[in-house]
Amino acid sequence: MTTRRIFLQKAGISTLALSLPYTNTLSAMQTEKEDKILRVAIMGLGSYGTRVAEAMKDCKRAKLVGVVSGTPSKITDWQSKYGIPAKNCYNYETFDQIKDNPDIDVVYMTTPNSLHKPHCLRIAAAGKHVISEKPMALNAAEGREMVAACKKAGVHLLVGYRMHFEPKTLEVVRMQRAGELGETLFFQGLSGFIIGDPTQWRLNRELAGGGSMMDIGIYSVNGTRYMLGEEPIWVTAQESKTDPVKFKEGVDETITFQMGFPSGAMASCLSTYALNNLDKFFLNGTKGFAEMQPSTGYGPIKAWTKNGPIEREHVTHQTVQMDEMAAIMLDGKKPVIPVDGEEGLKDLVIIDAIYEAVKTGEKVMLG
Ligand code: NDP
């Protein structure tokens, strides 16, 4: 057996999953599993819920069959647009009844952050699988409750980390895990955009749980972990605020943060709601680098190394994500980069530490 294969096995990565393009993997999977389809209800019919619904039209293994919404007019719109029967439509008061609906397997929460935990507990109690959008919850304590509730109910809890299935991201991860970049000792993650409407829920601490860090900085937190393949042991962080009217107490505008890892690797990251065109990952090792820009947007993602660009076909992230999540839930498939509740929780632990480091000015030790 080659060293590479031994390495990949140790890293829990199948050589097949890495060598086949998504479409081939999917068609092979389809032949075997043609009958099993993940039947999905989307909760919160806003901007991202709509994007997921549209992307699911092209799914082979996942199908939109239900909705949970507080807005009756959206329910009727979605019913006619996606052919959703009235028996699969709920609002936030009635959705516990989903327990008696055998035609829905999973509820995908695309609601404001503060609603993820309470709704997850109710979905789990109804015996349905849960997909949560990022951030999974407002903090690690909430995240732990969600993980425990889903475990107790025997249902899956997955997080909508669409980049974990993105082909160029997976190629960089493969190169890093295979040692092709040497010892990767530095990662830089830059995540930001200029946020508009000051009245939106993203700038409301109760609904968002914070500011840019919860919404966009989480991509750098999560990206650091999958790019370096390690968990941080310390965090330092600093905050800057140029508009205290728009970004009230507890709503962060800009945070820089650093992380240290057991190998000696370090990460230096930026999360902001005050600058556009910030969507970049840079991974440097003793033998080479990988750079991605854009690195987490809806794509196409661009990635290159010292050997030139990484070429992979662009795929709609949410289509691949939902097909892969169907394979995880229905077939027990193990993704290359995890997307379960424990994974979501790891990011929340780090975000809690970042906020603590901002508050105290101290280095926060983890683990
Ligand atoms: P939107 O504001 O566009 O939609 C949220 C929807 O949630 C609303 O339309 C509404 O739907 C429902 N809702 C229920 N209660 C409230 C409330 N109190 N205030 C506002 N809306 C409420 O938000 P997004 O779709 O942009 O974001 C939703 C989630 O998805 C967030 O957690 C966000 O972080 C995540 N997200 C993830 C992305 C990714 O790439 N993975 C990208 C964008 C967002 P209804 O009227 O049907 O009840």
Side-chain angles (χ1 to χ4, degrees):
M1 193 181 287
T2 64
T3 318
R4 176 170 176 266
R5 190 171 302 159
I6 294 166
F7 174 83
L8 291 171
Q9 281 185 350
K10 276 190 186 156
I13 302 170
S14 107
T15 42
L16 184 69
L18 288 168
S19 59
L20 287 178
Y22 166 71
T23 42
N24 285 2
T25 318
L26 190 63
S27 54
M29 195 163 68
Q30 269 309 106
T31 342
E32 288 165 31
K33 312 278 178 192
E34 215 126 38
D35 48 342
K36 284 208 228 157
I37 296 285
L38 187 72
R39 297 159 310 165
V40 182
I42 292 185
M43 168 185 276
L45 313 182
S47 139
Y48 199 63
T50 302
R51 186 175 284 275
V52 172
E54 285 298 303
M56 278 175 62
K57 284 180 180 169
D58 295 325
C59 279
K60 306 271 192 308
R61 303 278 326 264
K63 185 171 164 32
L64 175 63
V65 299
V67 290
V68 182
S69 170
T71 313
S73 61
K74 288 188 199 169
I75 297 184
T76 46
D77 278 2
W78 280 51
Q79 276 193 267
S80 57
K81 205 163 166 195
Y82 300 107
I84 296 169
K87 69 172 182 57
N88 289 357
C89 297
Y90 301 87
N91 61 38
Y92 300 107
E93 284 74 47
T94 62
F95 77 80
D96 307 279
Q97 294 164 18
I98 219 161
K99 72 177 191 311
D100 301 319
N101 190 333
D103 299 329
I104 294 174
D105 301 312
V106 57
V107 179
Y108 191 157
M109 307 187 295
T110 54
T111 44
N113 308 341
S114 67
L115 301 177
H116 297 171
K117 186 207 86 173
H119 289 165
C120 167
L121 300 193
R122 287 170 60 189
I123 298 163
K128 302 296 177 182
H129 301 302
V130 183
I131 304 174
S132 172
E133 251 321 310
K134 42 62 49 180
M136 189 174 89
L138 299 187
N139 50 50
E142 284 197 355
R144 284 190 192 96
E145 267 190 76
M146 292 167 76
V147 169
C150 289
K151 198 171 171 190
K152 188 172 164 210
V155 297
H156 283 279
L157 168 60
L158 303 187
V159 185
Y161 285 136
R162 60 189 162 76
M163 300 316 297
H164 293 204
F165 306 105
E166 195 281 320
K168 288 173 194 162
T169 303
L170 288 174
E171 173 58 9
V172 175
V173 167
R174 186 203 61 75
M175 291 173 77
Q176 195 275 346
R177 305 290 192 271
E180 291 174 21
L181 302 174
E183 260 187 277
T184 43
L185 293 176
F186 180 70
F187 176 80
Q188 182 188 40
L190 307 177
S191 304
F193 66 94
I194 297 178
I195 196 155
D197 178 10
T199 65
Q200 65 185 287
W201 67 261
R202 281 182 169 76
L203 296 173
N204 174 326
R205 182 176 162 69
E206 278 66 47
L207 289 168
S212 77
M213 180 58 62
M214 299 300 284
D215 191 40
I216 192 78
I218 190 169
Y219 285 98
S220 275
V221 171
N222 187 247
T224 302
R225 294 178 43 251
Y226 64 68
M227 286 291 168
L228 287 172
E230 290 187 79
E231 299 302 326
I233 49 176
W234 58 257
V235 167
T236 50
Q238 308 77 33
E239 181 176 15
S240 156
K241 201 174 269 197
T242 62
D243 187 346
V245 177
K246 192 170 183 182
F247 304 101
K248 300 195 173 50
E249 180 67 30
V251 180
D252 49 285
E253 177 187 316
T254 300
I255 291 180
T256 50
F257 57 100
Q258 304 77 38
M259 288 178 261
F261 293 83
S263 68
M266 288 196 285
S268 174
C269 303
L270 171 67
S271 165
T272 185
Y273 268 158
L275 289 167
N276 274 339
N277 308 309
L278 269 182
D279 182 12
K280 179 176 161 178
F281 284 180
F282 176 72
L283 179 66
N284 208 358
T286 48
K287 289 195 205 159
F289 71 89
E291 191 160 356
M292 308 182 73
Q293 187 175 15
S295 54
T296 63
Y298 297 136
I301 299 301
K302 289 200 182 118
W304 61 95
T305 67
K306 65 178 167 52
N307 300 324
I310 294 175
E311 307 286 3
R312 292 287 184 284
E313 200 186 335
H314 171 66
V315 286
T316 302
H317 297 174
Q318 296 81 6
T319 307
V320 183
Q321 174 200 318
M322 292 310 293
D323 273 334
E324 289 294 311
M325 285 186 167
I328 292 168
M329 293 197 209
L330 299 175
D331 313 336
K333 184 175 176 183
K334 293 260 176 288
V336 173
I337 315 170
V339 285
D340 55 21
E342 297 287 351
E343 175 76 6
L345 179 56
K346 284 177 184 167
D347 288 335
L348 293 172
V349 168
I350 296 169
I351 291 174
D352 281 358
I354 290 170
Y355 281 134
E356 192 188 331
V358 162
K359 209 158 89 186
T360 61
E362 304 281 332
K363 186 183 215 178
V364 176
M365 304 307 292
L366 296 167

